[in-house]
Each structure stands twice: as C-alpha cells, then as structure tokens.
Amino acid sequence: QVQLVESGGGLVQAGGSLRLSCAASGRTFSRYAMGWFRQAPGKEREFVAAISWIGDNFNHADSVKGRFTISRDNAKNTLYLQMNSLKPEDTAVYYCAAWAAYTLVGVTSIVDYWGQGTQVTVSS
C-alpha cells in the first residue's frame, strides 16, 4: 500500500508562488501514477494535475495550465506541485493522490490512495 503526506501549503498573496510536496511511503511508489486534486469550501473535489509512473507524461487542468507544474522524484519518493501566478480562486485544500490504473484522466474515481490535504489560501 501507499501512504501519502502533503506539505507546503500556506497563505500567499495573489501573483505569488508556492511549492507543494507529497511524501510517499511504500515499496511500489514508482509503479503508481500520481496527481493533485483540490477542494474549495462548498465545492466538489476537482482535478489539478497528474503525472505518469516515471514522470514522462503529464496532464494539467485547463484552470492551472501554464501556471502550475507537476513533477516527481522517485528516488526521493516525493511528488511536487509548483504553483506560480496564484489567484484567489486557487484557494482550496490540496490533496495528493496515487493510483495504479494506466491513465492520467483527472477524475476522483480512479484514485486508490489519498493524502490528508494541505490548505492553500491566496489573498488579493
């Protein structure tokens, strides 16, 4: 099994940057696709970005494309989300996710493991 722990969230001004990290444990970490989802108060959890098992393929939601970049370092068992040009509408709890299915389609139903979430708040 895989255990996921997010970190790096916080309060940032609009236009600023944050880098989220997700530390993964488990001997099969590199065999899972991974991604980020987010959920704002009163809204459904939505897809942000995904990355393939070895980091050679990517999928970013239209709302963050060009601003956010997903990456992973399998040697460190860590997933990252670099968030630049942050907007108030990016405010949400961000969740790390992992799945074995061979897909980067951004839907919650494919996720096998979830992290506990980390709060990102963007002020204007």
Side-chain angles (χ1 to χ4, degrees):
Q1 298 189 37
V2 175
Q3 294 79 45
L4 307 172
V5 180
E6 303 96 331
S7 63
L11 176 64
V12 65
Q13 295 184 33
S17 298
L18 283 174
R19 189 181 76 164
L20 304 184
S21 298
C22 174
S25 62
R27 292 177 294 174
T28 61
F29 171 75
S30 64
R31 289 192 274 172
Y32 289 85
M34 299 188 71
W36 294 92
F37 293 75
R38 66 187 183 186
Q39 188 167 22
K43 300 185 68 176
E44 298 294 318
R45 189 168 298 185
E46 66 175 356
F47 171 73
V48 176
I51 188 168
S52 61
W53 292 358
I54 62 174
D56 63 341
N57 199 15
F58 312 90
N59 185 23
H60 294 82
D62 289 342
S63 60
V64 306
K65 195 170 299 181
R67 299 187 299 119
F68 293 9
T69 303
I70 191 170
S71 62
R72 68 190 294 169
D73 187 338
N74 289 347
K76 298 180 179 179
N77 291 340
T78 303
L79 176 75
Y80 302 98
L81 184 68
Q82 179 65 48
M83 304 186 294
N84 298 325
S85 301
L86 282 161
K87 305 174 181 180
E89 51 262 44
D90 295 319
T91 295
V93 176
Y94 283 70
Y95 296 90
C96 179
W99 58 93
Y102 190 70
T103 181
L104 298 182
V105 175
V107 293
T108 58
S109 59
I110 66 169
V111 175
D112 294 315
Y113 303 99
W114 293 100
Q116 82 288 350
T118 186
Q119 177 71 48
V120 172
T121 302
V122 184
S123 62
S124 59

